[in-house]
Every structure is written in C-alpha cells, then in structure tokens.
Amino acid sequence: MHAHAPTNTCRPADLGLALERLRTTAPLVQCLTNAVVTNFTANVLLAAGASPAMVDVPGEAADFAAVASAVLINLGTPHAGQRRAMLQAARAARTAGTPWVLDPVAVGGLELRTRLAETLLAERPTVIRANASEILALATSGTGGRGVDATHDVEAARVSAIHLAAATPSIVAVSGPVDLVTDSERTVRVHGGDPLLTRITGGGCALGALVAAAGAANDDDALVGTAAAHALYSVAAERAAATASGPGSFAVGFLDALAAVSPEDLAARAVIA
C-alpha cells in the first residue's frame, strides 16, 4: 500500500506520478482475455512498462491470480475452459486481495456472457472497464451494443456508471471519445485519443490490461490509476496518429508512443475535467 491517501481531486500531476509508479514497479498482470487480442495486449503492457502473463488455463489460473500484481478478465471469446478459469481467477483474486479488472465485452446482447458477467460482479472487481452500452447493460438499463461496438454515448451512461460503482463497489470506467471514470463519489473525464484506436484489433481490450497494471501500481487510489491508464492511452494515440499513414502504421506507432511518453509528458499533456 502506498503512503498517500486518496484525494478529492485528480490532477494531471497525479497522473504523471501514477505512470512513474507503473514504470518503477513493473506490475505482473495476469490476462484472461480473448483470442483476437492476446498478442497486442501483451505488447501494450510491455510497451507501457508492465509485465504480461497470459495464464487462462483452469487449474492454474487461481494459483497465478493469488501471486500476480493484478488480473484482467475480458469476456471477448469466453469458451468453456476459459470461463472456468475466469471464475477461479476472480475468486482467488478477491480472496488474496489482488486487484482485478472486468471487461464485459458485448454483454447485454448475448445471454451467456451476460450471465457470466453478472456472476463475476459478485467477486467485486476493482475496476469495470467497458463502453457505454455495456455499462448500461450491466446496470440493467439497456440491452448492450452492436457486438463489441457501443450504440450509446458516454454521457448517456453517466448516471448508470455512478450507480454501478456504488453498488459493486468498483471503479467504473466508460470508454468513448471522452472517457468517464467514477468511484460514485468522484467523477473524472479524460479527453483526447484518436479515432484510429477503433480501427485496430484490441484498441479497447488492451486498455483493460493497462488499467489493471496502473491500478496495481497505484493501489491506494484506484480511480487515479484508472484515469492515468486512460490518459496515457489518449496521449499515446494522439502521438501515433500524428505520424501514421493508416491503421497499420498507427498500431506500431502506438506501441512506440506508449513506451516514449514520460510522467512529465503525461502531466503536461493529459486533459481531465
């Protein structure tokens, strides 16, 4: 546990400090994520300064969750074996006090993963990271988006996000053109990013892993850690887009930018409100 207590504010300087802690501690993040994004997710963690471990096998997922710095559970391709591993990891993380992130991909429109997400909520995720449609579905206010895409904007999910954060209790992060992060009492909006993030595989899913890493490194204030992960993502995306000729070069440039953004850069360039 870090020395300073949570504050009532979240300033750009706090985000820079959160990134410094991530780089200093190099948290080990266990990722139970979908088959489409595994490689990109691991590369994002490495570029940011964390260490990935793609441990999603039933029978060992729980053991690893107990010793990892943080756990990501992403419901993108929840085959039967991975579903068992996810439940084992979430329960072990809760018992061990390991921070963990739930990314409820495409809940609301698909019954199996919606039921799974509801079961996982009982294990009290530290952070729920999703798009607006998924948050509305989790809060029983909607029926989800179009597959992994959001059909609602972030502000439409604001009240539901606050209520969900209070009920779980978790930090709730709603991704969109302007990200919203809330712990039910404090609400922060992180501006920036680039639409090219929606043109590459894993743009949103890898963010969940980065949230887990930043949360582990800033376990005294998960809201600041979560906001810092979103701000780092936004600043890196803007830098990559400035020199990219399309989605392919953007993906490579994005990894480079994640590695290059310094705590001072983040404090100077992050836009929050």
Side-chain angles (χ1 to χ4, degrees), residues 7 25 65 105-107 113 116-117 128 131 136-137 158 171 180 185 190 208 232 239 257 263:
T7 64
T25 59
V105 178
V107 296
R113 71 185 64 215
L116 176 60
I128 302 166
N131 64 39
L136 287 165
R158 181 182 64 83
I171 305 298
L180 183 148
E185 295 181 357
V190 181
L232 173 59
R239 284 191 173 183

PDB file of all heavy atoms in Angstrom, residues 7 25 65 105-107 113 116-117 128 131 136-137 158 171 180 185 190 208 232 239 257 263:
ATOM      1  N   THR A   7      -7.296  11.487  -2.651  1.00  0.00           N
ATOM      2  CA  THR A   7      -7.687  12.881  -2.536  1.00  0.00           C
ATOM      3  C   THR A   7      -9.054  13.073  -3.169  1.00  0.00           C
ATOM      4  O   THR A   7      -9.605  12.175  -3.793  1.00  0.00           O
ATOM      5  CB  THR A   7      -6.676  13.785  -3.253  1.00  0.00           C
ATOM      6  OG1 THR A   7      -6.711  13.480  -4.659  1.00  0.00           O
ATOM      7  CG2 THR A   7      -5.273  13.552  -2.731  1.00  0.00           C
ATOM      8  N   THR A  25       7.465  -0.027 -10.685  1.00  0.00           N
ATOM      9  CA  THR A  25       7.085  -1.310 -10.078  1.00  0.00           C
ATOM     10  C   THR A  25       6.935  -2.437 -11.089  1.00  0.00           C
ATOM     11  O   THR A  25       6.960  -3.606 -10.714  1.00  0.00           O
ATOM     12  CB  THR A  25       5.765  -1.170  -9.297  1.00  0.00           C
ATOM     13  OG1 THR A  25       4.723  -0.726 -10.193  1.00  0.00           O
ATOM     14  CG2 THR A  25       5.905  -0.152  -8.168  1.00  0.00           C
ATOM     15  N   ALA A  65      -3.435 -16.010 -10.022  1.00  0.00           N
ATOM     16  CA  ALA A  65      -4.127 -14.794  -9.580  1.00  0.00           C
ATOM     17  C   ALA A  65      -3.739 -14.414  -8.161  1.00  0.00           C
ATOM     18  O   ALA A  65      -3.727 -13.236  -7.806  1.00  0.00           O
ATOM     19  CB  ALA A  65      -5.632 -14.987  -9.682  1.00  0.00           C
ATOM     20  N   VAL A 105     -17.119  -7.565 -22.393  1.00  0.00           N
ATOM     21  CA  VAL A 105     -17.278  -7.342 -23.835  1.00  0.00           C
ATOM     22  C   VAL A 105     -18.619  -7.891 -24.329  1.00  0.00           C
ATOM     23  O   VAL A 105     -18.948  -9.060 -24.132  1.00  0.00           O
ATOM     24  CB  VAL A 105     -16.125  -8.009 -24.612  1.00  0.00           C
ATOM     25  CG1 VAL A 105     -16.309  -7.822 -26.114  1.00  0.00           C
ATOM     26  CG2 VAL A 105     -14.781  -7.443 -24.158  1.00  0.00           C
ATOM     27  N   ALA A 106     -19.394  -7.025 -24.976  1.00  0.00           N
ATOM     28  CA  ALA A 106     -20.645  -7.382 -25.659  1.00  0.00           C
ATOM     29  C   ALA A 106     -21.721  -7.945 -24.739  1.00  0.00           C
ATOM     30  O   ALA A 106     -22.591  -8.689 -25.186  1.00  0.00           O
ATOM     31  CB  ALA A 106     -20.368  -8.365 -26.804  1.00  0.00           C
ATOM     32  N   VAL A 107     -21.689  -7.585 -23.450  1.00  0.00           N
ATOM     33  CA  VAL A 107     -22.769  -8.032 -22.572  1.00  0.00           C
ATOM     34  C   VAL A 107     -24.059  -7.318 -22.946  1.00  0.00           C
ATOM     35  O   VAL A 107     -24.055  -6.257 -23.559  1.00  0.00           O
ATOM     36  CB  VAL A 107     -22.446  -7.774 -21.081  1.00  0.00           C
ATOM     37  CG1 VAL A 107     -21.247  -8.576 -20.639  1.00  0.00           C
ATOM     38  CG2 VAL A 107     -22.263  -6.295 -20.804  1.00  0.00           C
ATOM     39  N   ARG A 113     -22.550 -14.622 -22.013  1.00  0.00           N
ATOM     40  CA  ARG A 113     -21.548 -13.741 -21.398  1.00  0.00           C
ATOM     41  C   ARG A 113     -22.182 -12.758 -20.432  1.00  0.00           C
ATOM     42  O   ARG A 113     -21.518 -12.308 -19.489  1.00  0.00           O
ATOM     43  CB  ARG A 113     -20.723 -13.033 -22.465  1.00  0.00           C
ATOM     44  CG  ARG A 113     -21.458 -11.967 -23.243  1.00  0.00           C
ATOM     45  CD  ARG A 113     -20.596 -11.406 -24.356  1.00  0.00           C
ATOM     46  NE  ARG A 113     -20.266 -12.416 -25.359  1.00  0.00           N
ATOM     47  CZ  ARG A 113     -19.105 -12.478 -26.016  1.00  0.00           C
ATOM     48  NH1 ARG A 113     -18.174 -11.590 -25.785  1.00  0.00           N
ATOM     49  NH2 ARG A 113     -18.892 -13.404 -26.910  1.00  0.00           N
ATOM     50  N   LEU A 116     -22.412 -14.650 -17.253  1.00  0.00           N
ATOM     51  CA  LEU A 116     -21.062 -14.771 -16.708  1.00  0.00           C
ATOM     52  C   LEU A 116     -20.631 -13.468 -16.057  1.00  0.00           C
ATOM     53  O   LEU A 116     -20.057 -13.464 -14.956  1.00  0.00           O
ATOM     54  CB  LEU A 116     -20.085 -15.161 -17.817  1.00  0.00           C
ATOM     55  CG  LEU A 116     -18.604 -15.246 -17.433  1.00  0.00           C
ATOM     56  CD1 LEU A 116     -18.386 -16.283 -16.329  1.00  0.00           C
ATOM     57  CD2 LEU A 116     -17.760 -15.573 -18.662  1.00  0.00           C
ATOM     58  N   ALA A 117     -20.885 -12.352 -16.709  1.00  0.00           N
ATOM     59  CA  ALA A 117     -20.528 -11.052 -16.146  1.00  0.00           C
ATOM     60  C   ALA A 117     -21.242 -10.812 -14.820  1.00  0.00           C
ATOM     61  O   ALA A 117     -20.640 -10.304 -13.861  1.00  0.00           O
ATOM     62  CB  ALA A 117     -20.860  -9.939 -17.132  1.00  0.00           C
ATOM     63  N   ILE A 128     -14.366  -1.887 -13.379  1.00  0.00           N
ATOM     64  CA  ILE A 128     -15.154  -2.363 -14.517  1.00  0.00           C
ATOM     65  C   ILE A 128     -14.884  -1.393 -15.658  1.00  0.00           C
ATOM     66  O   ILE A 128     -15.152  -0.197 -15.536  1.00  0.00           O
ATOM     67  CB  ILE A 128     -16.655  -2.389 -14.200  1.00  0.00           C
ATOM     68  CG1 ILE A 128     -16.935  -3.285 -12.991  1.00  0.00           C
ATOM     69  CG2 ILE A 128     -17.452  -2.863 -15.415  1.00  0.00           C
ATOM     70  CD1 ILE A 128     -18.328  -3.100 -12.407  1.00  0.00           C
ATOM     71  N   ASN A 131     -17.580  -0.037 -22.662  1.00  0.00           N
ATOM     72  CA  ASN A 131     -18.170   1.082 -23.379  1.00  0.00           C
ATOM     73  C   ASN A 131     -19.531   1.413 -22.769  1.00  0.00           C
ATOM     74  O   ASN A 131     -20.016   0.721 -21.861  1.00  0.00           O
ATOM     75  CB  ASN A 131     -18.243   0.811 -24.891  1.00  0.00           C
ATOM     76  CG  ASN A 131     -19.163  -0.344 -25.253  1.00  0.00           C
ATOM     77  OD1 ASN A 131     -20.229  -0.525 -24.671  1.00  0.00           O
ATOM     78  ND2 ASN A 131     -18.756  -1.131 -26.240  1.00  0.00           N
ATOM     79  N   LEU A 136     -24.473   0.266 -19.487  1.00  0.00           N
ATOM     80  CA  LEU A 136     -25.931   0.320 -19.366  1.00  0.00           C
ATOM     81  C   LEU A 136     -26.528  -1.077 -19.213  1.00  0.00           C
ATOM     82  O   LEU A 136     -27.462  -1.286 -18.431  1.00  0.00           O
ATOM     83  CB  LEU A 136     -26.529   1.028 -20.587  1.00  0.00           C
ATOM     84  CG  LEU A 136     -26.309   2.540 -20.641  1.00  0.00           C
ATOM     85  CD1 LEU A 136     -26.594   3.079 -22.032  1.00  0.00           C
ATOM     86  CD2 LEU A 136     -27.191   3.243 -19.603  1.00  0.00           C
ATOM     87  N   ALA A 137     -25.977  -2.043 -19.934  1.00  0.00           N
ATOM     88  CA  ALA A 137     -26.472  -3.412 -19.821  1.00  0.00           C
ATOM     89  C   ALA A 137     -26.178  -3.989 -18.445  1.00  0.00           C
ATOM     90  O   ALA A 137     -27.041  -4.627 -17.829  1.00  0.00           O
ATOM     91  CB  ALA A 137     -25.845  -4.288 -20.906  1.00  0.00           C
ATOM     92  N   ARG A 158     -23.627   7.918 -17.799  1.00  0.00           N
ATOM     93  CA  ARG A 158     -23.010   8.513 -16.618  1.00  0.00           C
ATOM     94  C   ARG A 158     -23.728   8.124 -15.329  1.00  0.00           C
ATOM     95  O   ARG A 158     -23.104   7.646 -14.367  1.00  0.00           O
ATOM     96  CB  ARG A 158     -22.971  10.042 -16.744  1.00  0.00           C
ATOM     97  CG  ARG A 158     -22.308  10.744 -15.558  1.00  0.00           C
ATOM     98  CD  ARG A 158     -22.351  12.257 -15.713  1.00  0.00           C
ATOM     99  NE  ARG A 158     -23.717  12.765 -15.699  1.00  0.00           N
ATOM    100  CZ  ARG A 158     -24.421  13.021 -14.590  1.00  0.00           C
ATOM    101  NH1 ARG A 158     -23.868  12.831 -13.400  1.00  0.00           N
ATOM    102  NH2 ARG A 158     -25.648  13.470 -14.660  1.00  0.00           N
ATOM    103  N   ILE A 171     -14.486   0.822  -9.211  1.00  0.00           N
ATOM    104  CA  ILE A 171     -14.287   1.942 -10.113  1.00  0.00           C
ATOM    105  C   ILE A 171     -14.936   1.555 -11.436  1.00  0.00           C
ATOM    106  O   ILE A 171     -14.783   0.426 -11.903  1.00  0.00           O
ATOM    107  CB  ILE A 171     -12.786   2.216 -10.347  1.00  0.00           C
ATOM    108  CG1 ILE A 171     -12.058   2.436  -9.028  1.00  0.00           C
ATOM    109  CG2 ILE A 171     -12.601   3.399 -11.297  1.00  0.00           C
ATOM    110  CD1 ILE A 171     -12.518   3.621  -8.234  1.00  0.00           C
ATOM    111  N   LEU A 180     -14.996   8.436 -19.182  1.00  0.00           N
ATOM    112  CA  LEU A 180     -15.528   8.818 -17.878  1.00  0.00           C
ATOM    113  C   LEU A 180     -15.105   7.761 -16.864  1.00  0.00           C
ATOM    114  O   LEU A 180     -15.284   6.565 -17.096  1.00  0.00           O
ATOM    115  CB  LEU A 180     -17.045   8.945 -17.935  1.00  0.00           C
ATOM    116  CG  LEU A 180     -17.776   9.417 -16.673  1.00  0.00           C
ATOM    117  CD1 LEU A 180     -19.015  10.225 -17.060  1.00  0.00           C
ATOM    118  CD2 LEU A 180     -18.205   8.239 -15.788  1.00  0.00           C
ATOM    119  N   GLU A 185     -18.360   8.700  -5.988  1.00  0.00           N
ATOM    120  CA  GLU A 185     -18.254   9.996  -5.316  1.00  0.00           C
ATOM    121  C   GLU A 185     -17.475  11.008  -6.148  1.00  0.00           C
ATOM    122  O   GLU A 185     -17.799  12.189  -6.166  1.00  0.00           O
ATOM    123  CB  GLU A 185     -17.589   9.819  -3.953  1.00  0.00           C
ATOM    124  CG  GLU A 185     -18.423   8.992  -2.987  1.00  0.00           C
ATOM    125  CD  GLU A 185     -17.763   8.857  -1.632  1.00  0.00           C
ATOM    126  OE1 GLU A 185     -16.622   9.372  -1.459  1.00  0.00           O
ATOM    127  OE2 GLU A 185     -18.374   8.247  -0.743  1.00  0.00           O
ATOM    128  N   VAL A 190     -11.597  12.037 -19.054  1.00  0.00           N
ATOM    129  CA  VAL A 190     -10.278  12.074 -19.687  1.00  0.00           C
ATOM    130  C   VAL A 190     -10.477  12.337 -21.171  1.00  0.00           C
ATOM    131  O   VAL A 190     -11.110  11.530 -21.879  1.00  0.00           O
ATOM    132  CB  VAL A 190      -9.519  10.759 -19.475  1.00  0.00           C
ATOM    133  CG1 VAL A 190      -8.137  10.827 -20.127  1.00  0.00           C
ATOM    134  CG2 VAL A 190      -9.393  10.439 -17.985  1.00  0.00           C
ATOM    135  N   GLY A 208      -7.965  -2.334 -21.017  1.00  0.00           N
ATOM    136  CA  GLY A 208      -8.318  -3.010 -19.770  1.00  0.00           C
ATOM    137  C   GLY A 208      -7.102  -3.563 -19.054  1.00  0.00           C
ATOM    138  O   GLY A 208      -6.990  -3.496 -17.819  1.00  0.00           O
ATOM    139  N   LEU A 232      -2.772   7.999 -20.446  1.00  0.00           N
ATOM    140  CA  LEU A 232      -1.608   7.505 -21.191  1.00  0.00           C
ATOM    141  C   LEU A 232      -2.047   6.993 -22.559  1.00  0.00           C
ATOM    142  O   LEU A 232      -1.394   7.264 -23.575  1.00  0.00           O
ATOM    143  CB  LEU A 232      -0.916   6.397 -20.401  1.00  0.00           C
ATOM    144  CG  LEU A 232       0.220   5.660 -21.114  1.00  0.00           C
ATOM    145  CD1 LEU A 232       1.327   6.623 -21.532  1.00  0.00           C
ATOM    146  CD2 LEU A 232       0.776   4.552 -20.214  1.00  0.00           C
ATOM    147  N   ARG A 239      -0.155  10.963 -30.341  1.00  0.00           N
ATOM    148  CA  ARG A 239       1.202  10.988 -30.889  1.00  0.00           C
ATOM    149  C   ARG A 239       1.324  10.044 -32.080  1.00  0.00           C
ATOM    150  O   ARG A 239       1.930  10.393 -33.107  1.00  0.00           O
ATOM    151  CB  ARG A 239       2.211  10.576 -29.816  1.00  0.00           C
ATOM    152  CG  ARG A 239       2.504  11.651 -28.797  1.00  0.00           C
ATOM    153  CD  ARG A 239       3.707  11.248 -27.955  1.00  0.00           C
ATOM    154  NE  ARG A 239       4.120  12.327 -27.072  1.00  0.00           N
ATOM    155  CZ  ARG A 239       5.174  12.254 -26.276  1.00  0.00           C
ATOM    156  NH1 ARG A 239       5.925  11.163 -26.245  1.00  0.00           N
ATOM    157  NH2 ARG A 239       5.505  13.275 -25.508  1.00  0.00           N
ATOM    158  N   ALA A 257       4.778   4.936 -28.899  1.00  0.00           N
ATOM    159  CA  ALA A 257       4.383   6.106 -28.112  1.00  0.00           C
ATOM    160  C   ALA A 257       4.117   5.737 -26.658  1.00  0.00           C
ATOM    161  O   ALA A 257       4.454   6.505 -25.744  1.00  0.00           O
ATOM    162  CB  ALA A 257       3.151   6.764 -28.726  1.00  0.00           C
ATOM    163  N   PRO A 263       6.384  10.435 -17.490  1.00  0.00           N
ATOM    164  CA  PRO A 263       5.480  11.003 -16.488  1.00  0.00           C
ATOM    165  C   PRO A 263       5.297  12.510 -16.646  1.00  0.00           C
ATOM    166  O   PRO A 263       4.180  13.031 -16.472  1.00  0.00           O
ATOM    167  CB  PRO A 263       6.165  10.647 -15.170  1.00  0.00           C
ATOM    168  CG  PRO A 263       6.916   9.390 -15.469  1.00  0.00           C
ATOM    169  CD  PRO A 263       7.408   9.569 -16.872  1.00  0.00           C
TER     170      PRO A 263
END
